[in-house]
Amino acid sequence: MTTFEYAPALESRSIVTIKPEYGHFINGAFVDGVDHFATINPANEEILSRIALGNAEDIDRAVDAARVAYEATWSKMPGKERGKYLYRIARIMQERAREFAVLESLDNGKPIRESRDIDIPLAGAHFFYHAGWADKLDYAGLGHAPRPHGVAGQIIPWNFPLLMLAWKIAPALAAGNTVVLKPAETTPLTALLFAQVCQQAELPAGVVNIVTGDGRTGSALVDHPGVDKIAFTGSTDVGKAIARAIAPTKKKATLELGGKGANIVFDDAPIDETVEGIVNGIFFNQGHVCCAGSRLLLQENIAEEVLAKLKVRMAKIRVGDPLDKNTDLGAINSAAQLGKIRELATSGDSEGAQRWSPACSLPKNGFWFAPTIFTGVTQAHRIAREEIFGPVLSVLTFRTPAEAIEKANNTPYGLSAGVWSEKGSRILWATQQLKAGVIWANTFNKFDPASPFGGYKESGWGREGGRHGLTAYLKSAEAQQ
Amino acid sequence: MNERLEVKKTYKLFIGGAFPRSESGRTYEAKGPDGAFIANSSLASRKDLRDAVVAARNAQIRWAGATAYNRGQILYRIAEMLEGRRAQFATEIAALDGISLQEAELEVHTAIDRWVWYAGWSDKLAAINGSTNPVAGPFYNFTIPEPMGVIGAIAPENQSLLGLVDAIAPIIVSGNTTVVLASTRAPLPAMTFAEVLATSDLPAGVCNILTGQKSELAPWFASHMDIDGLDISGVDESSRSDIKIAGVENLKRIHVFDGATTPQRIFAFMEAKTVWHPIGV
Amino acid sequence: MNYYGLVDGSDASLRNFLRTLSGVDQIGAESRAAMLATRSIKTTAKNWAIDLAISMVDLTTLEGADTPGKIRALAAKAVRPDPTDSTVPSVGAVCVYNDMVSIARQHLDLIGGAHVRVAAVSTAFPSGRASMAVKIQDTQDAIDAGAAEIDMVIDRGAFLSGRYLEVFNEIVQIRALCGKKTHLKVILETGELVTYDNVRKASFLAMLAGADFIKTSTGKVSPAATPPVVLVMLEAVRDFYEMTDRRIGVKPAGGIRNTKDAIKQLVLVNETAGPEWLNPGLFRIGASALLNDLLMQRMKMRDGYYPSPTYVTID
């Protein structure tokens, strides 16, 4: 060896046991499904297990179980006791963190470094944070003795399967709601492992129900008359369909939808950390991030320098086996998503933007896309307007701060934005002007249970995390039913 | 001896600080409870709505950029101006609603006090609904409530002044601008109220008031892509579902309020913005 | 005078240049270093890294209690770190006070260690608090005694009070003494500069003034060679190369006590400055206890079981 080639450093997958087939988790027990579909490892297309395809009857049973648990147990239990269940869950998730991490990387394709260091610890932290709210709801800002909505129907995406589960279930339970959750079609395994955690924590039957399936299963949940509150994270199109579906009803909804985050780099930015932030902004989790910094806005007088450094840095990104501890960029989650990324990247080519990727060899099997940037992008290009949800960065330039803001806000989305500058007043000015729910200044893609997250405009309704997120699962004592 | 002939007012619309007639040239009769003609009121068209939204959008950034102290003073000024025209409003309301002058006066007083109440909120919203968030890392993290942008409102049919005030005040106190459709049945106090706004230091375009048919205009409010949020408290329950569906196109935040005077009504048309910044040397 | 065409030796040009340097965000730099610290180096890569690290060690003793006997033992260890295994490479250099240079040089030559260089700390090490005449004499003594490398300290007081040109001129003068033959390492004492902005500034100042290496620390001040400090210095040498086409070396010193720490440093080099810096000509690790841990890890990799310190010589 003449150069420092890191030998493979594989995380052992022996820590997880995957059953050949899974049913739904309803009323505290696993029940067999009727039809099944396969969930695969996107890094090599290996079939991991066969998953029950939830139908209307399954949803019916789950909602009924949640209703009974709500009326009989959970809404009557003192907050202090509910909180103790959540603390138990948090602790068991910490105890079984490595198991969750390996399973998440197998089913999702994300690097073990990220599932181990980010997804799983944050998921546990969400339960720990919300556990503490359960007996303090009087201080949530809705007056004395606020009430839960009842049964929450929750539909989560495949990009952060366990973390999104935690974002949904933890506040719902803390507030006193019971839950029917549908994991994403391509990433159900950690939710099913979470069901086992609920059993270990001796959570009363029916408080958490997990019904696996696809879009039809989700629709059945949204349409079910026994559901009082919908929480959805996913695409803006599906979010809108849900909003239409519940318009005639009294159902409440929070929606965390798409984004096309601008990452604005001013000419006084701390350059090396900015380059790191750009990389983290778009290549974290293969770019499967609704709040990704997918539009890089560079001040024109430093654009060349930043791009040169960015390319050098991108050449260091290690693409490959998600279970290798040194992998930075894992597999694209599904063939369908890979197809969408390719289609949009091709549109970038045909609309005249310049594509660049570092030399990197991609594995033969599985779904892969090299880290890619497009330069010469204008606001009119599809790759500047549409969410690619992959490791593809569109680079634009600006001349003045006002132009940066104008371009950043020139999108129907409003989820996230980044600002890079060493000048405090400029950062505060920019954060004030940007129409986005989460703004990272001199950092990017940071998350915390205490920090509210959610978007303006077509990026959704409501917040998750912090006191703001909690209130989405509560109503004031006076509020009409 | 000849009695003096009263000089009657022409009721127009209030858009961008001016009082134009409807571009459609249409009017409709505002009548008392006995069906007697009181005045012609402008019958706003969808194009008037379009113009009003443009005016509201143009005014929004500056209004949001005004200091909270300044916005509070302007809202208080509205109360002052309203106070000075109590009698005029009471007469107008009594005639339209067929209620006693005392009852009408009570509504006017409540409306004035409502402005005083909302005026005081402008510089307290962030204290109530903002936070610094103790994240697990070396970051300063805070959440602030921000105005949403341009908010539409369909005012309720009853309480033609108070209902209107309850729609407008919580929207604009935070820095939103608004286009509000007044009570269809009793539109006149709304236009008299516009005269109050016009003399209250409220920047042009912050509040735009239309009179017209709810059934005609509400769907255009709902589908307008440059309206960020919509108060449909004044829309019939049977029509709300359609309005909500039309509003999905830009994921408009659509709310119905039950009349309670709470800061939640202000927060309903605000967005929480969370900012992260590293703490280092 | 012209220094790489970047500054002309005037106070104004130096100040202007340092002002153009980008700031360093502390949290960003630290999180990048922490992320690189999670790199898992196993099997063949680990074998390679351990031997490389051994060859990069500046085996150091800088004690008031140093004696000729101690120096000779150190020299022996430097040449053959593991007497039982001839495949273990020699270290890069031994690093001593200037009165010990001749003893070290003579003993190295005597035991077949002509290839191991002798480095002397200089310029009133570790504080740098002396007149320029003393610093020059200090350096001249070391060169006369056979030092191939001079590890000088900068005047941190001058730097922190903004007298950059003074710091610069001292380095320029020592550089002139060293000539082409003697390698000059400039110790920034990053623990006293405190901020990464200062580390970046001082790195450039030293490189412009003619340093062959920039070195983190004296080993007498804590914190010393933390991964983020080394990251910032590696970014500086990488950027300086972009500007001048000249590669300057980096030497972390102080606080690198075990193999894990050393391998983290190599990962930093690999992913920041690049593989071109992964040789003793451009990267050294100033250490004393580290060498034995590298040897023990090497035994573990070779034998497949954990060794005991009993089997590693303590010199």
PDB file of all heavy atoms in Angstrom, chain C residues 212-237:
ATOM      1  N   ASP C 212       9.785  25.751   6.990  1.00  0.00           N
ATOM      2  CA  ASP C 212       9.626  24.507   6.234  1.00  0.00           C
ATOM      3  C   ASP C 212       8.476  23.695   6.803  1.00  0.00           C
ATOM      4  O   ASP C 212       7.854  22.911   6.094  1.00  0.00           O
ATOM      5  CB  ASP C 212      10.905  23.668   6.324  1.00  0.00           C
ATOM      6  CG  ASP C 212      12.082  24.358   5.687  1.00  0.00           C
ATOM      7  OD1 ASP C 212      11.957  24.754   4.514  1.00  0.00           O
ATOM      8  OD2 ASP C 212      13.100  24.545   6.382  1.00  0.00           O
ATOM      9  N   PHE C 213       8.294  23.850   8.109  1.00  0.00           N
ATOM     10  CA  PHE C 213       7.234  23.161   8.825  1.00  0.00           C
ATOM     11  C   PHE C 213       6.537  24.176   9.713  1.00  0.00           C
ATOM     12  O   PHE C 213       7.166  25.101  10.218  1.00  0.00           O
ATOM     13  CB  PHE C 213       7.826  22.094   9.778  1.00  0.00           C
ATOM     14  CG  PHE C 213       7.790  20.695   9.251  1.00  0.00           C
ATOM     15  CD1 PHE C 213       8.656  20.292   8.246  1.00  0.00           C
ATOM     16  CD2 PHE C 213       6.887  19.756   9.780  1.00  0.00           C
ATOM     17  CE1 PHE C 213       8.635  18.980   7.779  1.00  0.00           C
ATOM     18  CE2 PHE C 213       6.856  18.456   9.318  1.00  0.00           C
ATOM     19  CZ  PHE C 213       7.727  18.059   8.311  1.00  0.00           C
ATOM     20  N   ILE C 214       5.262  23.975   9.955  1.00  0.00           N
ATOM     21  CA  ILE C 214       4.623  24.681  11.064  1.00  0.00           C
ATOM     22  C   ILE C 214       4.249  23.630  12.106  1.00  0.00           C
ATOM     23  O   ILE C 214       3.795  22.535  11.769  1.00  0.00           O
ATOM     24  CB  ILE C 214       3.404  25.511  10.623  1.00  0.00           C
ATOM     25  CG1 ILE C 214       2.463  24.707   9.735  1.00  0.00           C
ATOM     26  CG2 ILE C 214       3.866  26.770   9.889  1.00  0.00           C
ATOM     27  CD1 ILE C 214       1.194  25.431   9.335  1.00  0.00           C
ATOM     28  N   LYS C 215       4.506  23.964  13.332  1.00  0.00           N
ATOM     29  CA  LYS C 215       4.370  23.008  14.426  1.00  0.00           C
ATOM     30  C   LYS C 215       3.416  23.589  15.453  1.00  0.00           C
ATOM     31  O   LYS C 215       3.449  24.783  15.719  1.00  0.00           O
ATOM     32  CB  LYS C 215       5.760  22.745  15.020  1.00  0.00           C
ATOM     33  CG  LYS C 215       5.794  21.850  16.244  1.00  0.00           C
ATOM     34  CD  LYS C 215       7.252  21.594  16.670  1.00  0.00           C
ATOM     35  CE  LYS C 215       7.327  20.952  18.046  1.00  0.00           C
ATOM     36  NZ  LYS C 215       8.725  20.766  18.489  1.00  0.00           N
ATOM     37  N   THR C 216       2.571  22.723  16.012  1.00  0.00           N
ATOM     38  CA  THR C 216       1.521  23.237  16.891  1.00  0.00           C
ATOM     39  C   THR C 216       2.057  23.815  18.188  1.00  0.00           C
ATOM     40  O   THR C 216       1.705  24.926  18.562  1.00  0.00           O
ATOM     41  CB  THR C 216       0.516  22.126  17.274  1.00  0.00           C
ATOM     42  OG1 THR C 216       1.220  21.094  17.961  1.00  0.00           O
ATOM     43  CG2 THR C 216      -0.189  21.578  16.059  1.00  0.00           C
ATOM     44  N   SER C 217       2.937  23.028  18.876  1.00  0.00           N
ATOM     45  CA  SER C 217       3.088  23.313  20.300  1.00  0.00           C
ATOM     46  C   SER C 217       4.469  22.959  20.804  1.00  0.00           C
ATOM     47  O   SER C 217       5.209  22.188  20.199  1.00  0.00           O
ATOM     48  CB  SER C 217       2.080  22.493  21.120  1.00  0.00           C
ATOM     49  OG  SER C 217       0.881  22.355  20.433  1.00  0.00           O
ATOM     50  N   THR C 218       4.768  23.511  21.961  1.00  0.00           N
ATOM     51  CA  THR C 218       6.024  23.169  22.633  1.00  0.00           C
ATOM     52  C   THR C 218       5.899  21.878  23.419  1.00  0.00           C
ATOM     53  O   THR C 218       6.893  21.272  23.782  1.00  0.00           O
ATOM     54  CB  THR C 218       6.409  24.275  23.626  1.00  0.00           C
ATOM     55  OG1 THR C 218       5.364  24.391  24.606  1.00  0.00           O
ATOM     56  CG2 THR C 218       6.595  25.604  22.917  1.00  0.00           C
ATOM     57  N   GLY C 219       4.668  21.506  23.745  1.00  0.00           N
ATOM     58  CA  GLY C 219       4.460  20.374  24.641  1.00  0.00           C
ATOM     59  C   GLY C 219       4.405  20.826  26.087  1.00  0.00           C
ATOM     60  O   GLY C 219       4.134  20.041  26.985  1.00  0.00           O
ATOM     61  N   LYS C 220       4.673  22.116  26.315  1.00  0.00           N
ATOM     62  CA  LYS C 220       4.657  22.641  27.687  1.00  0.00           C
ATOM     63  C   LYS C 220       3.347  23.352  28.010  1.00  0.00           C
ATOM     64  O   LYS C 220       3.152  23.824  29.126  1.00  0.00           O
ATOM     65  CB  LYS C 220       5.813  23.639  27.882  1.00  0.00           C
ATOM     66  CG  LYS C 220       7.178  23.095  27.500  1.00  0.00           C
ATOM     67  CD  LYS C 220       7.603  21.946  28.399  1.00  0.00           C
ATOM     68  CE  LYS C 220       9.018  21.474  28.054  1.00  0.00           C
ATOM     69  NZ  LYS C 220       9.332  20.201  28.728  1.00  0.00           N
ATOM     70  N   VAL C 221       2.487  23.493  27.027  1.00  0.00           N
ATOM     71  CA  VAL C 221       1.231  24.222  27.201  1.00  0.00           C
ATOM     72  C   VAL C 221       0.092  23.324  26.747  1.00  0.00           C
ATOM     73  O   VAL C 221       0.205  22.597  25.767  1.00  0.00           O
ATOM     74  CB  VAL C 221       1.241  25.529  26.363  1.00  0.00           C
ATOM     75  CG1 VAL C 221      -0.160  26.126  26.286  1.00  0.00           C
ATOM     76  CG2 VAL C 221       2.222  26.533  26.941  1.00  0.00           C
ATOM     77  N   SER C 222      -0.961  23.354  27.512  1.00  0.00           N
ATOM     78  CA  SER C 222      -2.131  22.580  27.141  1.00  0.00           C
ATOM     79  C   SER C 222      -3.292  23.538  26.893  1.00  0.00           C
ATOM     80  O   SER C 222      -3.429  24.521  27.611  1.00  0.00           O
ATOM     81  CB  SER C 222      -2.487  21.629  28.288  1.00  0.00           C
ATOM     82  OG  SER C 222      -3.543  20.798  27.907  1.00  0.00           O
ATOM     83  N   PRO C 223      -4.170  23.338  25.899  1.00  0.00           N
ATOM     84  CA  PRO C 223      -4.153  22.233  24.949  1.00  0.00           C
ATOM     85  C   PRO C 223      -3.050  22.385  23.908  1.00  0.00           C
ATOM     86  O   PRO C 223      -2.598  23.487  23.651  1.00  0.00           O
ATOM     87  CB  PRO C 223      -5.531  22.342  24.292  1.00  0.00           C
ATOM     88  CG  PRO C 223      -5.880  23.799  24.369  1.00  0.00           C
ATOM     89  CD  PRO C 223      -5.282  24.268  25.648  1.00  0.00           C
ATOM     90  N   ALA C 224      -2.683  21.239  23.339  1.00  0.00           N
ATOM     91  CA  ALA C 224      -1.608  21.257  22.356  1.00  0.00           C
ATOM     92  C   ALA C 224      -2.158  20.850  20.989  1.00  0.00           C
ATOM     93  O   ALA C 224      -2.979  21.563  20.424  1.00  0.00           O
ATOM     94  CB  ALA C 224      -0.488  20.360  22.827  1.00  0.00           C
ATOM     95  N   ALA C 225      -1.729  19.683  20.507  1.00  0.00           N
ATOM     96  CA  ALA C 225      -2.052  19.308  19.126  1.00  0.00           C
ATOM     97  C   ALA C 225      -3.434  18.664  19.041  1.00  0.00           C
ATOM     98  O   ALA C 225      -3.569  17.492  18.711  1.00  0.00           O
ATOM     99  CB  ALA C 225      -0.989  18.365  18.593  1.00  0.00           C
ATOM    100  N   THR C 226      -4.474  19.420  19.308  1.00  0.00           N
ATOM    101  CA  THR C 226      -5.815  18.847  19.183  1.00  0.00           C
ATOM    102  C   THR C 226      -6.151  18.650  17.705  1.00  0.00           C
ATOM    103  O   THR C 226      -5.633  19.374  16.846  1.00  0.00           O
ATOM    104  CB  THR C 226      -6.864  19.784  19.796  1.00  0.00           C
ATOM    105  OG1 THR C 226      -6.879  20.992  19.039  1.00  0.00           O
ATOM    106  CG2 THR C 226      -6.560  20.093  21.250  1.00  0.00           C
ATOM    107  N   PRO C 227      -7.011  17.666  17.395  1.00  0.00           N
ATOM    108  CA  PRO C 227      -7.338  17.445  15.985  1.00  0.00           C
ATOM    109  C   PRO C 227      -7.829  18.703  15.252  1.00  0.00           C
ATOM    110  O   PRO C 227      -7.374  18.954  14.134  1.00  0.00           O
ATOM    111  CB  PRO C 227      -8.396  16.337  16.044  1.00  0.00           C
ATOM    112  CG  PRO C 227      -8.037  15.564  17.282  1.00  0.00           C
ATOM    113  CD  PRO C 227      -7.555  16.606  18.259  1.00  0.00           C
ATOM    114  N   PRO C 228      -8.709  19.519  15.834  1.00  0.00           N
ATOM    115  CA  PRO C 228      -9.130  20.687  15.048  1.00  0.00           C
ATOM    116  C   PRO C 228      -8.010  21.692  14.786  1.00  0.00           C
ATOM    117  O   PRO C 228      -7.991  22.321  13.727  1.00  0.00           O
ATOM    118  CB  PRO C 228     -10.253  21.325  15.892  1.00  0.00           C
ATOM    119  CG  PRO C 228     -10.265  20.629  17.188  1.00  0.00           C
ATOM    120  CD  PRO C 228      -9.548  19.341  17.039  1.00  0.00           C
ATOM    121  N   VAL C 229      -7.070  21.835  15.733  1.00  0.00           N
ATOM    122  CA  VAL C 229      -5.939  22.738  15.481  1.00  0.00           C
ATOM    123  C   VAL C 229      -5.121  22.214  14.304  1.00  0.00           C
ATOM    124  O   VAL C 229      -4.722  22.966  13.405  1.00  0.00           O
ATOM    125  CB  VAL C 229      -5.061  22.883  16.751  1.00  0.00           C
ATOM    126  CG1 VAL C 229      -3.637  23.245  16.385  1.00  0.00           C
ATOM    127  CG2 VAL C 229      -5.664  23.912  17.691  1.00  0.00           C
ATOM    128  N   VAL C 230      -4.898  20.909  14.311  1.00  0.00           N
ATOM    129  CA  VAL C 230      -4.121  20.332  13.221  1.00  0.00           C
ATOM    130  C   VAL C 230      -4.896  20.450  11.904  1.00  0.00           C
ATOM    131  O   VAL C 230      -4.321  20.746  10.857  1.00  0.00           O
ATOM    132  CB  VAL C 230      -3.759  18.860  13.542  1.00  0.00           C
ATOM    133  CG1 VAL C 230      -2.981  18.240  12.395  1.00  0.00           C
ATOM    134  CG2 VAL C 230      -2.958  18.798  14.832  1.00  0.00           C
ATOM    135  N   LEU C 231      -6.209  20.276  11.984  1.00  0.00           N
ATOM    136  CA  LEU C 231      -7.048  20.446  10.787  1.00  0.00           C
ATOM    137  C   LEU C 231      -6.850  21.842  10.195  1.00  0.00           C
ATOM    138  O   LEU C 231      -6.627  22.001   8.986  1.00  0.00           O
ATOM    139  CB  LEU C 231      -8.520  20.233  11.161  1.00  0.00           C
ATOM    140  CG  LEU C 231      -9.529  20.547  10.056  1.00  0.00           C
ATOM    141  CD1 LEU C 231      -9.611  19.384   9.068  1.00  0.00           C
ATOM    142  CD2 LEU C 231     -10.914  20.842  10.620  1.00  0.00           C
ATOM    143  N   VAL C 232      -6.912  22.849  11.052  1.00  0.00           N
ATOM    144  CA  VAL C 232      -6.798  24.228  10.569  1.00  0.00           C
ATOM    145  C   VAL C 232      -5.415  24.463   9.963  1.00  0.00           C
ATOM    146  O   VAL C 232      -5.275  25.118   8.922  1.00  0.00           O
ATOM    147  CB  VAL C 232      -7.094  25.210  11.725  1.00  0.00           C
ATOM    148  CG1 VAL C 232      -6.722  26.635  11.347  1.00  0.00           C
ATOM    149  CG2 VAL C 232      -8.568  25.127  12.128  1.00  0.00           C
ATOM    150  N   MET C 233      -4.389  23.880  10.577  1.00  0.00           N
ATOM    151  CA  MET C 233      -3.038  24.058  10.030  1.00  0.00           C
ATOM    152  C   MET C 233      -2.872  23.306   8.718  1.00  0.00           C
ATOM    153  O   MET C 233      -2.189  23.780   7.793  1.00  0.00           O
ATOM    154  CB  MET C 233      -2.002  23.631  11.082  1.00  0.00           C
ATOM    155  CG  MET C 233      -1.958  24.627  12.245  1.00  0.00           C
ATOM    156  SD  MET C 233      -1.006  24.095  13.677  1.00  0.00           S
ATOM    157  CE  MET C 233       0.647  24.016  13.004  1.00  0.00           C
ATOM    158  N   LEU C 234      -3.493  22.143   8.623  1.00  0.00           N
ATOM    159  CA  LEU C 234      -3.429  21.390   7.366  1.00  0.00           C
ATOM    160  C   LEU C 234      -4.153  22.142   6.243  1.00  0.00           C
ATOM    161  O   LEU C 234      -3.712  22.144   5.090  1.00  0.00           O
ATOM    162  CB  LEU C 234      -4.044  19.998   7.554  1.00  0.00           C
ATOM    163  CG  LEU C 234      -3.174  19.004   8.344  1.00  0.00           C
ATOM    164  CD1 LEU C 234      -4.025  17.829   8.839  1.00  0.00           C
ATOM    165  CD2 LEU C 234      -1.996  18.513   7.504  1.00  0.00           C
ATOM    166  N   GLU C 235      -5.260  22.781   6.589  1.00  0.00           N
ATOM    167  CA  GLU C 235      -5.952  23.606   5.595  1.00  0.00           C
ATOM    168  C   GLU C 235      -5.064  24.763   5.154  1.00  0.00           C
ATOM    169  O   GLU C 235      -5.031  25.129   3.977  1.00  0.00           O
ATOM    170  CB  GLU C 235      -7.271  24.137   6.188  1.00  0.00           C
ATOM    171  CG  GLU C 235      -8.338  23.055   6.323  1.00  0.00           C
ATOM    172  CD  GLU C 235      -9.524  23.460   7.203  1.00  0.00           C
ATOM    173  OE1 GLU C 235      -9.465  24.523   7.858  1.00  0.00           O
ATOM    174  OE2 GLU C 235     -10.504  22.705   7.237  1.00  0.00           O
ATOM    175  N   ALA C 236      -4.303  25.291   6.116  1.00  0.00           N
ATOM    176  CA  ALA C 236      -3.423  26.409   5.792  1.00  0.00           C
ATOM    177  C   ALA C 236      -2.310  25.976   4.829  1.00  0.00           C
ATOM    178  O   ALA C 236      -2.038  26.667   3.846  1.00  0.00           O
ATOM    179  CB  ALA C 236      -2.838  26.995   7.074  1.00  0.00           C
ATOM    180  N   VAL C 237      -1.691  24.825   5.096  1.00  0.00           N
ATOM    181  CA  VAL C 237      -0.598  24.402   4.194  1.00  0.00           C
ATOM    182  C   VAL C 237      -1.164  24.030   2.813  1.00  0.00           C
ATOM    183  O   VAL C 237      -0.527  24.292   1.786  1.00  0.00           O
ATOM    184  CB  VAL C 237       0.244  23.239   4.767  1.00  0.00           C
ATOM    185  CG1 VAL C 237       0.942  23.684   6.037  1.00  0.00           C
ATOM    186  CG2 VAL C 237      -0.563  21.980   5.002  1.00  0.00           C
TER     187      VAL C 237
END
